[in-house]
Amino acid sequence: MKIMMSAGEASGDLHGGALAAELKKLRPDIELFGMGGSDMQKSGVRIIYDINNLGIIGVVEVVKHIPFFFRLRDTLKQAMIDEKPDALVCIDYPGFNMRLAHVAKELGIPVIYYIAPTIWAWNKRRAKKIVRDVAAVASIFPFEAKAYKEAGANVTFVGHPLADTVKPTMPREKALEYFRADPDKKHILLMPGSRGNEVRGLLPTMLDAAREINKKAPSQFFIPRASTISLSLLHSIIGHNPGIDIEITEGARYDLMGMCDACIASSGTATLETALMELPTVLVYRLAPFTWVLAKHLVHVKYAGLPNLLLQREVTPELLQDEVTPDHISSLVLPWLLNPAAREANVEELRDVRKALGNGGAVRNVASLVLKTAGDQEIT
């Protein structure tokens, strides 16, 4: 059996890698290939296009690169024609993957969509295209599954994969030693995103906020490098004299979260990960001005952060667009560092996030759905 996979961002690559590993467990002889990154490659996926070359966000930015995306779609279409996969798994990245799903449908290749487009938040017209082109939707949120069922899609609630994977691998004391953490300082995580544009737009403000925080609560700051972000980009922004104690880290992501006292993170999967690790986090995000105006008219949800959407209350404070300033960020982080009771109150709220994500087993459920959709009659 041969399965093609398509992920366009670091988070999708992470989920794709876990899915590929599970598919290999269930069918050791399965052949996996497609678009992805290092996590998928490590799990046995033959990468035909490396997503390190991607990093575009927002309407204006995407429009500038339309010819590139057409060429990329044609490249992957040719791969489908040449390789004749039994199924295509699209992982997140809806602007591109929905078009790729349509190509696969026209070629007679069944499509499974994992981390599906957020029709519950905006662009409900996408639901009709999903119903038209996608054989099976693997839904990771209960409210998402309901929305897709109402739209007429063949949807299965599989649970959220992070409920299985987000956990430390070492005791906190060992993590402190592993990351060379200063025991006399607070430890703060900076997560500026997995796209180049995000990092360039958010990290300088995060660093300014870090300097403000450091004045009142001496701290050590850690940046876990996303696989799609180069060290040279991070070093160019941090500079040679950042004025703060800062470390760029590789690997052991959840152990790092487990030893930190607070986090400042770009909106996205990272905020769900920190919530599952019970790490108080401030969500920050900016879009290009035109994209922001458009989003305000199109997006119909109260919150930007996944933990807040899941619980329908703000357990992860959100700063968006012009609100993203060093003063605003530091005013939200400092109480967690200076008042243990304030931090514990937030941690108690974050515990509800894991309770809301189901009983686990999501990756195994998705792998079984992929194999069934691809025609494997032995999977139960």
Side-chain angles (χ1 to χ4, degrees):
M1 180 172 283
K2 184 184 289 188
I3 304 294
M4 182 174 177
M5 304 175 73
S6 176
E9 299 171 293
S11 61
D13 178 46
L14 183 69
H15 292 308
L19 175 58
E22 192 64 33
L23 286 168
K24 288 280 188 179
K25 286 181 187 176
L26 294 173
R27 290 290 177 266
D29 60 342
I30 198 169
E31 185 177 346
L32 304 171
F33 74 99
M35 180 171 79
S38 59
D39 284 303
M40 288 169 61
Q41 187 173 42
K42 289 172 187 174
S43 296
V45 180
R46 173 165 48 89
I47 300 299
I48 60 175
Y49 186 84
D50 193 323
I51 62 170
N52 281 330
N53 298 316
L54 301 175
I56 301 158
I57 185 173
V59 175
V60 175
E61 297 87 346
V62 168
V63 167
K64 294 177 183 176
H65 293 81
I66 283 176
F68 162 79
F69 282 112
F70 275 117
R71 291 194 300 272
L72 179 57
R73 184 197 60 186
D74 290 344
T75 297
L76 297 181
K77 176 181 179 179
Q78 190 60 50
M80 283 187 254
I81 294 170
D82 295 341
E83 305 253 7
K84 298 179 175 59
D86 296 290
L88 167 68
V89 180
C90 291
I91 307 169
D92 205 355
Y93 212 54
F96 179 83
N97 270 336
M98 287 188 65
R99 290 170 175 79
L100 191 65
H102 186 60
V103 169
K105 170 73 172 182
E106 290 183 326
L107 293 174
I109 298 168
V111 179
I112 303 93
Y113 215 120
Y114 179 34
I115 321 293
T118 53
I119 61 166
W120 41 268
W122 76 297
N123 204 347
K124 293 183 179 180
R125 290 173 298 176
R126 283 178 166 175
K128 294 181 180 179
K129 295 179 181 179
I130 291 289
V131 172
R132 180 192 69 193
D133 296 329
V134 175
V137 176
S139 176
I140 60 175
F141 295 112
F143 58 83
E144 176 186 74
K146 180 182 177 183
Y148 270 107
K149 185 176 181 180
E150 290 174 351
N154 177 25
V155 58
T156 300
F157 173 59
V158 294
H160 202 292
L162 292 182
D164 294 319
T165 58
V166 177
K167 48 193 169 186
T169 63
M170 61 182 83
R172 186 173 186 274
E173 294 73 19
K174 187 173 181 181
L176 289 166
E177 180 182 348
Y178 179 86
F179 288 108
R180 300 186 299 278
D182 187 333
D184 297 323
K185 293 182 177 180
K186 299 294 185 180
H187 309 118
I188 301 176
L189 198 57
L190 305 180
M191 303 185 73
S194 61
R195 304 180 184 99
N197 285 0
E198 286 177 324
V199 174
R200 293 183 192 93
L202 292 174
L203 185 54
T205 304
M206 288 184 177
L207 293 173
D208 287 340
R211 294 183 184 95
E212 291 300 311
I213 292 166
N214 195 56
K215 292 175 184 176
K216 295 182 178 180
S219 301
Q220 189 174 18
F221 299 87
F222 300 87
I223 302 177
R225 185 180 71 86
S227 61
T228 48
I229 300 299
S230 67
L231 272 173
S232 60
L233 174 59
L234 294 177
H235 285 307
S236 69
I237 296 172
I238 295 170
H240 298 294
N241 184 24
I244 50 175
D245 183 356
I246 191 162
E247 298 279 347
I248 298 172
T249 68
E250 305 276 350
R253 178 187 182 93
Y254 301 134
D255 296 296
L256 180 61
M257 291 179 184
M259 58 151 260
C260 280
D261 299 292
C263 175
I264 306 164
S266 170
S267 178
T269 305
T271 59
L272 190 56
E273 292 175 312
T274 59
L276 288 168
M277 285 300 301
E278 300 177 7
L279 176 62
T281 299
V282 174
L283 178 156
V284 297
Y285 211 63
R286 287 198 196 103
L287 292 169
F290 175 74
T291 307
W292 173 249
V293 172
L294 198 62
K296 287 179 71 176
H297 287 87
L298 295 176
V299 178
H300 306 294
V301 291
K302 186 176 180 181
Y303 301 108
L306 290 173
N308 302 333
L309 284 167
L310 191 63
L311 299 180
Q312 283 301 296
R313 67 181 194 271
E314 193 174 87
V315 295
T316 297
E318 299 183 358
L319 296 173
L320 306 177
Q321 216 62 8
D322 293 339
E323 296 175 335
V324 183
T325 67
D327 286 344
H328 286 157
I329 295 170
S330 60
S331 69
L332 290 170
V333 172
L334 280 168
W336 293 331
L337 304 180
L338 301 175
N339 182 354
R343 185 181 187 279
E344 183 55 35
N346 185 251
V347 168
E348 189 63 33
E349 287 203 282
L350 293 174
R351 289 183 180 130
D352 289 338
V353 173
R354 187 174 288 277
K355 295 174 187 175
L357 284 182
N359 297 319
V363 179
R364 179 66 175 248
N365 294 338
V366 179
S368 296
L369 183 62
V370 169
L371 293 173
K372 284 181 184 178
T373 307
D376 191 327
Q377 302 300 317
E378 298 180 17
I379 291 293
T380 59

